[in-house]
Amino acid sequence: MLFRRRTSSVPASQWRTRARVEQSGREHHLMIDAIEAGDAEHLKELVRQHILQS
């Protein structure tokens, strides 16, 4: 998918550790999967967790 080939939308310095940068990327991929699946509830939960960094 086109979205997955794009670079990061935020500077890596936003996160404190490299592990968090990588986790953020995985979260974005999960969000795209939820959008493609049409699963609005899962997407909503993923976004909530991503914002809260939980």
Side-chain angles (χ1 to χ4, degrees), residues 5-49:
R5 287 183 250 152
R6 296 180 67 183
T7 59
S8 176
S9 60
V10 296
S13 61
Q14 172 179 332
W15 306 116
R16 292 181 184 210
T17 66
R18 178 72 185 159
R20 189 60 187 109
V21 171
E22 292 170 0
Q23 178 63 30
S24 179
R26 286 189 296 272
E27 291 166 356
H28 289 168
H29 284 264
L30 291 171
M31 289 179 218
I32 292 168
D33 291 343
I35 291 168
E36 289 177 339
D39 190 343
E41 287 304 311
H42 189 216
L43 176 61
K44 186 163 67 171
E45 180 59 20
L46 290 167
V47 170
R48 185 190 72 75
Q49 290 174 6

